[in-house]
C-alpha cells in the first residue's frame, strides 16, 4: 500500500477542499510584507534558534542532538483547560510555561544529575520518575504524563536497539537528506506517525518529525551532519499555535460555525474534519506566505545571506505568537488532546 500524501501535498489537497477554514490572499501578502521588514534581521536566521532561546543547547555535539531528540519526542499538547491554571516550571531564576516548561524540566533534571537525554535511562524510566522530572511548580501537572512516560520507554528502547542509543546515528543514516531523516524517524518511532484521513485520502502532517529535523538542523547550525541539502523541503509544523497567529494576522479565516465552537472551548478530536482543515490550511498558508515573501525579496533586490524557508518562517511566527499572547486573547486556539502536536 503506498504511503500517505506528503505534508505539502496533504496541505494543498485540504486547502482545495476545505469548508470551514480558508486562506485570505490579502492577509497572506500583508504577513509577507511584515516578514520582509524582518528578512535581514536576526529572527529569520538559523542562528536565532540559539541566540533567542536560552533553554536550547549552546553546543553542536552529540549530547545536544540527543537533547533535541528527547525534547521533540515529548513536544506535544501543553495547553491547559483554563489559561490561568497551568503547568509552570522554574529554572535558572525564570518561570516557563507551555513548550518551554518541558525544556526547563529537561534542563532542571540534567542539573539534578538525572540523565534524561540518555536512551539507556529513559528506556526504563518509571512513571513516578517521569512525574518527578516533569513536575510543575503549580498544582497543575503537565498534560498527558502517562503518555509521555509510555513514549519515553518505547522510544528509548527503539533508539537502543536500532541506533546504538544515539539519535546522531539516525541522523548519519540520512546521508544529509532532511526527507530521508524525516522518513527514518516516522518508520522507526511510532509516536511520530502523525497521519490521518481526509476526503478518502491518507494524509500526513508529521509535525513532530518535521520539527525534529528542523531542530537537528538548528542545533548543528546547518553544518557537518546537519548540513541537509534539502532542508527547504520541510514545511511549517502544524501545531495549535500557528493557526491562532495566522488568524490573528488575517491570513487564515474560520467559518462562523467553527469560530463559535472554538470560542466555547469545545474540543476537536484528532483527525476530525475541522481539525484537519485547520492544520492543513495553516500549513498551506505558510507555504503561500513563503512564496510571496521570496517574490518581494526578489523585487526588492535584497541579497539574502541565507535562504529563507518555511522552518524559519514557522519559528518566527511561533515566537511572534508567544510574544503577542495578550493581543491574541480574542482568537481561540483549537483544543485537540493528542501526542502528535
Ligand atoms: N509550529 C511550531 N510549533 C511549535 C514550535 C515549538 C517550539 N519549537 C521551537 C521554538 C523555539 C525553538 O527554536 C524551538 O525549536 C513548539 N511548538 C508546538 O507549539 C505548541 C506549544 O505552544 P505553547 O503552548 O504556546 O508553548 C505545541 O503544539 C508544540 O508542539 C515551533 O517552533 N513551531
Amino acid at each position: 500500500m503506498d504511503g500517505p500524501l506528503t505534508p505539502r501535498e496533504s496541505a494543498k489537497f485540504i486547502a482545495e477542499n476545505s469548508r470551514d477554514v480558508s486562506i485570505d490572499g490579502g492577509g497572506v501578502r500583508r504577513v509577507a510584507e511584515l516578514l520582509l521588514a524582518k528578512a535581514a534581521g536576526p529572527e529569520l536566521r538559523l542562528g536565532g534558534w540559539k541566540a533567542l532561546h536560552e533553554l536550547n543547547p549552546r553546543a553542536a555535539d552529540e549530547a545536544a542532538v540527543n537533547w533535541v531528540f528527547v525534547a521533540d519526542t515529548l513536544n506535544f499538547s501543553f495547553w491547559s483547560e483554563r489559561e490561568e491554571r497551568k503547568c509552570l516550571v522554574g529554572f535558572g531564576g525564570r518561570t516557563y510555561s507551555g513548550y518551554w516548561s518541558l525544556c526547563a524540566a529537561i534542563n532542571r533534571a540534567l542539573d539534578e544529575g538525572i540523565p534524561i537525554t540518555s536512551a539507556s535511562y529513559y528506556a526504563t524510566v518509571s512513571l513516578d520518575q517521569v512525574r518527578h522530572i516533569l513536575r510543575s511548580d503549580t498544582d497543575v501537572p503537565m498534560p498527558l504524563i502517562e503518555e509521555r512516560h509510555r513514549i519515553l520507554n518505547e522510544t528509548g528502547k527503539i533508539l537502543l536497539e536500532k541506533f546504538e542509543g544515539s539519535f546522531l546515528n539516525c541522523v548519519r543514516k540520512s546521508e544529509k537528506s532532511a526527507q530521508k531523516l524525516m522518513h527514518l524517524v516516522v518508520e522507526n518511532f511510532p509516536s511520530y506517525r502523525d497521519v490521518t484521513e481526509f476526503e478518502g485520502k491518507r494524509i500526513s502532517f508529521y509535525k513532530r518529525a518535521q520539527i525534529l529535523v528542523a531542530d537537528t538542523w538548528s542545533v548543528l547550525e546547518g553544518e557537518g551532519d546537519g548540513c541537509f541539502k534539502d532542508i527547504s523541503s520541510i514545511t511549517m509544523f502544524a501545531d495549535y499555535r500557528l493557526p491562532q497567529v495566522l488568524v490573528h494576522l488575517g491570513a487564515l479565516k474560520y467559518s462562523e460555525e467553527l469560530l463559535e465552537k472554538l470560542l466555547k472551548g469545545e474540543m476537536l478530536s484528532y483527525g476530525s474534519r475541522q481539525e484537519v482543515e485547520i492544520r492543513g490550511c495553516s500549513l498551506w498558508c505558510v507555504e503561500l506566505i513563503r512564496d510571496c515573501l521570496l517574490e518581494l525579496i526578489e523585487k526588492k533586490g535584497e541579497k539574502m545571506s541565507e535562504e529563507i524557508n518555511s522552518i524559519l518562517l514557522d519559528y518566527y511566527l511561533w515566537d511572534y505568537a508567544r510574544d503577542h499572547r495578550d493581543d491574541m486573547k480574542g482568537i481561540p486556539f483549537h483544543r485537540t488532546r493528542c501526542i502528535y502536536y
Side-chain angles (χ1 to χ4, degrees):
M1 178 169 73
D2 15 315
L5 293 178
T6 66
R8 192 174 145 80
E9 291 163 342
S10 302
K12 186 169 188 298
F13 176 65
I14 294 161
E16 288 164 353
N17 293 280
S18 176
R19 297 187 205 140
D20 283 298
V21 186
S22 60
I23 294 168
D24 181 291
V28 163
R29 183 167 181 91
R30 278 193 301 281
V31 175
E33 283 158 358
L34 167 84
L35 292 165
L36 179 62
K38 302 279 179 186
E43 298 104 326
L44 277 174
R45 298 166 63 113
L46 175 52
W49 194 85
K50 290 182 178 176
L52 303 174
H53 300 298
E54 70 275 7
L55 292 177
N56 285 342
R58 305 300 88 191
D61 57 13
E62 181 161 27
V65 168
N66 284 312
W67 185 99
V68 161
F69 184 60
V70 84
D72 282 326
T73 294
L74 298 174
N75 185 359
F76 56 85
S77 215
F78 300 103
W79 59 268
S80 56
E81 301 296 326
R82 287 168 38 212
E83 182 49 24
E84 64 283 3
R85 280 178 43 74
K86 59 188 173 186
C87 168
L88 293 174
V89 174
F91 179 76
R94 288 186 60 178
T95 298
Y96 296 92
S97 66
Y99 165 77
W100 290 123
S101 70
L102 168 67
C103 297
I106 291 170
N107 291 350
R108 178 179 60 186
L110 292 172
D111 272 13
E112 291 171 353
I114 301 170
I116 183 58
T117 56
S118 302
S120 51
Y121 175 79
Y122 59 81
T124 56
V125 68
S126 71
L127 175 55
D128 280 347
Q129 287 169 319
V130 171
R131 282 204 177 100
H132 173 74
I133 290 162
L134 300 180
R135 68 190 181 281
S136 167
D137 295 349
T138 69
D139 59 356
V140 182
M142 193 177 289
L144 301 182
I145 284 274
E146 289 79 5
E147 285 78 1
R148 294 182 203 273
H149 168 243
R150 181 189 65 76
I151 287 169
L152 278 174
N153 285 170
E154 174 186 87
T155 306
K157 287 187 177 81
I158 294 165
L159 199 66
L160 287 168
E161 276 156 30
K162 299 190 173 180
F163 302 100
E164 303 89 52
S166 175
F167 184 62
L168 185 58
N169 295 325
C170 186
V171 174
R172 285 179 172 153
K173 279 206 166 66
S174 77
E175 292 160 340
K176 302 188 185 183
S177 162
Q179 288 302 315
K180 196 158 173 215
L181 180 55
M182 185 179 77
H183 284 101
L184 272 170
V185 169
V186 296
E187 276 146 30
N188 287 288
F189 300 99
S191 82
Y192 279 86
R193 291 177 193 151
D194 181 4
V195 178
T196 185
E197 289 244 337
F198 180 77
E199 294 276 347
K201 284 188 194 285
R202 271 164 59 73
I203 56 155
S204 66
F205 290 116
Y206 292 150
K207 183 260 172 193
R208 286 202 288 112
Q210 292 211 93
I211 201 169
L212 173 58
V213 174
D215 286 349
T216 301
W217 174 61
S218 300
V219 81
L220 290 173
E221 300 166 18
E223 287 163 16
D225 295 308
C227 183
F228 298 112
K229 49 195 180 301
D230 57 342
I231 191 64
S232 294
S233 66
I234 295 291
T235 73
M236 72 72 105
F237 323 118
D239 73 317
Y240 55 84
R241 287 293 175 208
L242 264 275
Q244 188 183 19
V245 72
L246 291 170
V247 170
H248 169 68
L249 293 170
L252 206 63
K253 291 212 177 322
Y254 292 157
S255 69
E256 272 312 303
E257 189 250 331
L258 176 56
L259 190 57
E260 208 177 297
K261 198 184 238 186
L262 298 183
L263 284 168
K264 277 194 281 190
E266 276 187 43
M267 299 263 286
L268 298 185
S269 44
Y270 177 84
S272 65
R273 181 178 183 95
Q274 289 176 327
E275 187 249 5
V276 169
E277 289 185 6
I278 290 171
R279 298 183 78 196
C281 291
S282 302
L283 199 157
W284 193 243
C285 185
V286 172
E287 294 298 285
L288 296 177
I289 290 168
R290 190 215 43 220
D291 293 347
C292 185
L293 174 60
L294 291 177
E295 233 176 80
L296 291 173
I297 289 171
E298 177 81 22
K299 267 192 212 131
K300 199 176 169 189
E302 188 138 343
K303 282 282 150 273
M304 296 304 300
S305 56
E306 58 186 73
E307 190 193 355
I308 297 240
N309 58 35
S310 294
I311 294 173
L312 297 175
L313 294 192
D314 177 289
Y315 283 164
Y316 176 82
L317 290 167
W318 191 83
D319 286 339
Y320 183 99
R322 269 271 160 170
D323 300 342
H324 294 77
R325 196 54 56 90
D326 289 349
D327 305 345
M328 292 181 7
K329 261 202 172 19
I331 310 284
F333 62 87
H334 69 282
R335 293 161 179 247
T336 296
R337 195 59 89 193
C338 72
I339 63 165
Y340 298 106
Y341 64 97

